[in-house]
Amino acid sequence: MALKKGMLIVFEGIDGSGKSTQAASLIEELKEKGFDAVYFREPTRGRWGQKIKEKALHPGSLSPEEELSLFVKDRKENVKKNLKPALSRKKIVVLDRYYYSTIAYQGARGIDTRRIRKMNEDFVIKPDLVFILDIEPQKGLERIEDRERKDKLFEQKDYLAKVRKIFKSIKGKNIIHVDGRRPKEKIAEKVEKIVLGHLSRANV
Ligand code: ADP
Ligand code: TYD
């Protein structure tokens, strides 16, 4: 189905909140309905994203400012190489993490959240919709236990509690907070309804 313009939909939330699950489900639904939808994620698989992954293997090896700088570099590349081209071809872009993750994660490491927001909003494309999935850190970590080293879980829980608190404080007209504890199908239904509503009002 042809759109008047591209649309950027973002999923945010702590690790294990269900972002990738919802992103995949939404893309499938949209494609079934005949829309052209593509998936991207941050950190990316590009050069900065790879650097982030390498550094992440050694927690604490980077200062908060160094982390911030790497995520911002990765995002600049993502905006230029992936998001802008897809949106200019009027696609629906579904993005797994964006600058709200920087506000929440690097904010939880002590950097001023307003400064993080400002430096990102200087160059990002503003999303049409942002779904922030909320879940207790304990529950999110349980879901991804096999992905994470068990001995890391304790230190992560306190950090993720701070991250979650910042996510919860993010407000705006395109920001939708979703209870991530609900069954995935129910969340997917709600997300789809909001996305289709937005498309019919603003785009088709
Ligand atoms: P994230 O991308 O936010 O880290 P995922 O989408 O990868 O999270 O989900 C983490 C795990 O939790 C996966 O095994 C997924 O199947 C499961 N999961 C996702 N959403 C839900 C849900 N609403 N209820 C229960 N389990 C879920
Ligand atoms: P992600 O790729 O979602 O994790 P995984 O591959 O394990 O599912 O993200 C990696 C980590 O990076 C995640 O813990 C969140 C963090 N992160 C930040 O700290 N700041 C950011 O700006 C972004 C995008 C991610």
Side-chain angles (χ1 to χ4, degrees):
M1 217 172 302
L3 297 183
K4 282 190 231 151
K5 57 186 179 66
M7 179 178 182
L8 179 58
I9 303 169
V10 174
F11 285 96
E12 289 281 7
I14 63 168
D15 311 74
S17 56
K19 297 177 298 298
S20 312
T21 304
Q22 292 305 321
S25 157
L26 178 62
I27 292 206
E28 201 181 306
E29 283 299 327
L30 289 171
K31 283 189 172 164
E32 231 166 71
K33 291 201 157 52
F35 292 104
D36 193 357
V38 286
Y39 173 80
F40 294 109
R41 60 176 300 164
E42 290 187 9
T44 68
R45 299 293 176 259
R47 57 188 163 144
W48 298 112
Q50 269 164 22
K51 209 164 187 107
I52 290 167
K53 280 267 177 230
E54 282 163 31
K55 298 287 182 189
L57 294 174
H58 310 283
S61 66
L62 292 176
S63 70
E65 288 292 341
E66 286 168 329
E67 271 182 20
L68 174 64
S69 153
L70 278 180
F71 282 112
V72 166
K73 280 182 180 145
D74 187 44
R75 181 160 307 119
K76 282 188 174 154
E77 196 166 86
N78 190 36
V79 168
K80 197 169 157 205
K81 278 199 174 158
N82 300 325
L83 308 187
K84 275 196 178 147
L87 291 167
S88 69
R89 279 185 226 117
K90 303 183 181 177
K91 290 178 193 272
I92 301 179
V93 175
V94 178
L95 182 56
D96 196 334
R97 293 196 186 279
Y98 203 26
Y99 67 100
Y100 307 91
S101 276
T102 320
I103 295 175
Y105 283 81
Q106 279 59 57
R109 291 205 66 190
I111 301 181
D112 181 59
T113 53
R114 283 159 304 183
R115 177 158 78 85
I116 303 174
R117 180 186 278 274
K118 169 88 179 60
M119 69 188 279
N120 277 278
E121 289 183 346
D122 275 349
F123 73 90
V124 294
I125 299 168
K126 284 289 205 73
D128 295 279
L129 292 173
V130 182
F131 294 97
I132 303 183
L133 299 169
D134 179 58
I135 194 143
E136 303 89 328
Q138 171 74 34
K139 219 165 169 176
L141 289 172
E142 277 167 15
R143 285 182 181 173
I144 56 170
E145 231 169 7
D146 51 335
R147 256 196 245 160
E148 306 283 325
R149 293 248 324 273
K150 285 238 171 65
D151 56 357
K152 260 176 61 192
L153 295 187
F154 287 105
E155 43 177 305
Q156 272 190 0
K157 229 187 305 176
D158 286 348
Y159 176 51
L160 288 179
K162 285 192 200 151
V163 175
R164 179 193 190 197
K165 198 166 164 204
I166 300 176
F167 270 134
K168 275 166 112 58
S169 74
I170 297 176
K171 303 264 155 62
K173 72 172 167 32
N174 298 331
I175 310 270
I176 301 125
H177 291 271
V178 180
D179 183 351
R181 295 167 308 178
R182 299 178 66 211
K184 34 189 139 174
E185 297 76 17
K186 294 278 176 212
I187 299 175
E189 267 171 39
K190 176 178 167 147
V191 166
E192 195 195 328
K193 208 166 150 193
I194 294 172
V195 169
L196 292 177
H198 191 280
L199 278 168
S200 63
R201 272 195 312 279
N203 217 325
V204 194

